[in-house]
Amino acid sequence: MDRFSSARDVALAMRPDVPVYCFRPEVLKADARAFVASFPGKTAYAVKTNGEPMVLRTLAEAGISSFDVASPAEFEAVRAVAPDAELLYMHPVKAQSDIRLALERHAIRVMALDHEDEIAKILRIVRALDLDPGEITLYVRLQTKGHAAYELSKKFGAAPAHAVELLQRIERIGFRVGLCFHVGSQIEDPDVYERALASADWVRARAGVALAGLDVGGGFPAEYGHDPKRARREMPSLDRIMAQLRSDIAEWGFDHLPLIAEPGRVIVARAFSVIVRVLLKKGRRLYINDGIWASLSDSWTGKITLPARFLPDPARRRRSGDPASLVPFKVCGATCDSVDILSRPFWLPETIDTGDWIEIGHIGAYSLALRTRFNGFYPDTFVEVTSPFGEGGGAQGFAAIETMAD
Ligand SMILES: *Cc1c(COP(=O)(O)O)cnc(C)c1O
């Protein structure tokens, strides 16, 4: 992979017409190490957030040795770069053949579930393979309530009374039992962990089983941008959220248990930016070579404001407008789909024009994994960049990407 010191250098050297992903391995390592240092348990990276081999390899180099996986392709992706890593299979609803593959081929010994029929599926395969259930830990996924950019509790999780029954049933069979929850992605309410811990405590007290561990899931918020025209949502820093979580864990009496976290977004968001090109400017409207079917779907559905930077094309001699004035542009994506319009604006210098580039920062989470081949556009060009996005200099704008309904 070619290496550059900044995205500006990439744009000037490559003059790219396709989106270019700028990977920052040192930023990824730093963010992974910061999380590991502040979480009082095992850090299992959630592979679905960004499963690129370069990401998994870099995380392994940074000392991450546990991975939250959800499919055979994810088992293989981790094994390919970190053969001895521990895999935690935390998807609550699994195919029979995938459970077999996990237990037999990949020696996975930790799984999650939220229903008795899932226990039956796992037990059947454990018996068929003649494994000792006492070597396998089944985590019961507990329903949670709260606010996040992505709410997942409507889909997964057992209600507390149901979780009590599941824990007791799992223990009677002879498996080791754990409790887990996942509060959603990019939390918007720092108290969600505390409420989930309170609920876990309620379940533990009624189940009367010895817990082998508590898994607090993901959801830890990444740093994004801010739309200058919207009220800033007050969120404490990650340091403060982690300090609060540590004290809540102790307060609810879970600090003596083995703990696991499954962070994705907070570890990988800052590690990538994407350089997009303005294909056409029509007044206050910009047509770019990326969009919701490529790198920008997570920020669109999650209503996330990304930081952006104007990278002017030096070949353009004449410009109109005031370079110091940040104005809102409506941004249209590359595909022919009329949905592919980012209806909240990008705030960029008035002078931006056809042929210029925009570096959109902090797109490491749920962007590469969610890009599609729609209309034949599939961004897949990568370079390495050594300076963090925040140190790139130049005009700072904001890609405020939100849906029409907002
Ligand atoms: C998606 C997911 C994660 C990662 O969530 P982030 O918000 O990206 O940290 C962790 N655990 C489970 C079970 C998930 O589904």
Side-chain angles (χ1 to χ4, degrees):
M1 207 184 323
D2 290 334
R3 189 192 275 190
F4 297 85
S5 80
S6 72
R8 185 177 307 276
D9 292 351
V10 177
L12 298 185
M14 295 172 67
R15 302 189 57 80
D17 261 346
V18 294
V20 175
Y21 296 113
C22 301
F23 176 45
R24 294 173 166 86
E26 293 312 314
V27 171
L28 179 58
K29 286 182 186 173
D31 286 354
R33 288 182 179 133
F35 189 92
V36 168
S38 66
F39 181 70
K42 184 185 289 180
T43 298
Y45 172 69
V47 173
K48 77 165 188 286
T49 316
N50 186 330
E52 294 293 319
M54 69 188 91
V55 168
L56 301 177
R57 195 177 305 118
T58 304
L59 288 173
E61 283 166 17
I64 300 285
S65 58
S66 296
F67 294 84
D68 163 21
V69 288
S71 67
E74 291 187 357
F75 310 161
E76 299 286 348
V78 176
R79 286 281 179 251
V81 302
D84 303 323
E86 181 190 23
L87 303 181
L88 311 178
Y89 191 5
M90 304 308 280
H91 196 312
V93 179
K94 299 168 280 299
Q96 294 254 28
S97 51
D98 294 348
I99 297 170
R100 176 180 270 274
L101 194 71
L103 288 166
E104 191 173 29
R105 169 110 66 94
H106 292 282
I108 291 176
R109 292 295 178 264
V110 174
M111 297 190 199
L113 55 87
D114 63 2
H115 194 269
E116 45 280 8
D117 291 354
E118 193 77 7
I119 305 176
K121 268 155 63 179
I122 295 168
L123 182 59
R124 207 173 302 136
I125 295 159
V126 165
R127 296 248 199 273
L129 296 174
D130 194 25
L131 296 172
D132 175 2
E135 286 172 8
I136 296 165
T137 310
L138 299 185
Y139 279 78
V140 173
R141 169 109 165 230
L142 193 56
Q143 218 169 51
T144 60
K145 289 198 177 64
H147 293 287
Y150 290 89
E151 230 352 290
L152 294 172
S153 51
K154 289 190 193 80
K155 183 165 175 185
F156 297 121
H162 186 199
V164 169
E165 282 173 35
L166 293 171
L167 287 175
Q168 292 172 339
R169 182 188 292 240
I170 291 167
E171 191 194 53
R172 273 200 306 277
I173 296 169
F175 289 109
R176 287 151 54 84
V177 290
L179 260 180
C180 67
F181 51 79
H182 175 53
V183 297
S185 200
Q186 188 70 9
I187 60 159
E188 290 166 355
D189 170 3
D191 295 331
V192 286
Y193 293 109
E194 147 110 88
R195 282 199 293 279
L197 289 166
S199 174
D201 179 58
W202 188 95
V203 169
R204 170 175 63 176
R206 272 147 197 85
V209 304
L211 288 183
L214 176 76
D215 182 336
V216 302
F220 305 94
E223 243 179 74
Y224 288 114
H226 170 63
D227 181 336
K229 284 288 188 296
R230 313 201 100 204
R232 189 185 275 278
R233 198 179 266 129
E234 281 309 322
M235 265 303 275
S237 67
L238 182 69
D239 280 348
R240 290 196 33 215
I241 291 173
M242 296 302 274
Q244 167 98 38
L245 177 61
R246 287 192 304 268
S247 93
D248 292 340
I249 285 171
E251 198 172 310
W252 289 100
F254 288 107
D255 49 335
H256 62 284
L257 276 184
L259 299 169
I260 304 173
E262 302 161 353
R265 187 187 289 279
V266 71
I267 284 186
V268 78
R270 286 198 324 135
F272 287 84
S273 63
V274 62
I275 301 171
V276 302
R277 194 160 202 187
V278 178
L279 302 179
L280 192 69
K281 179 186 187 183
K282 278 190 199 169
R284 282 291 170 85
R285 191 184 270 236
L286 301 177
Y287 291 77
I288 63 170
N289 60 356
D290 201 306
I292 67 161
W293 299 110
S295 316
L296 301 174
S297 86
D298 168 66
S299 42
W300 188 64
T301 43
K303 301 188 173 68
I304 287 164
T305 299
L306 297 167
R309 172 177 298 116
F310 173 39
L311 305 175
D313 180 0
R316 173 176 285 278
R317 299 285 187 273
R318 260 193 292 272
R319 294 184 179 274
S320 60
D322 172 5
S325 155
L326 277 190
V327 297
F329 286 96
K330 193 179 187 84
V331 175
C332 300
T335 69
C336 303
D337 184 357
S338 59
V339 171
D340 192 5
I341 298 176
L342 311 174
S343 57
R344 294 285 305 164
F346 278 31
W347 290 79
L348 291 159
E350 204 173 12
T351 48
I352 192 167
D353 215 324
T354 301
D356 290 331
W357 295 275
I358 305 166
E359 182 187 17
I360 304 175
H362 301 200
I363 56 105
Y366 306 108
S367 46
L368 304 183
L370 288 172
R371 74 205 132 130
T372 73
R373 294 185 189 276
F374 186 44
N375 246 177
F377 297 114
Y378 185 76
D380 203 29
T381 305
F382 291 84
V383 296
E384 195 178 310
V385 169
T386 51
S387 62
F389 177 84
E391 288 171 16
Q396 187 73 50
F398 301 90
I401 300 162
E402 297 189 16
T403 59
M404 294 297 274
D406 186 62

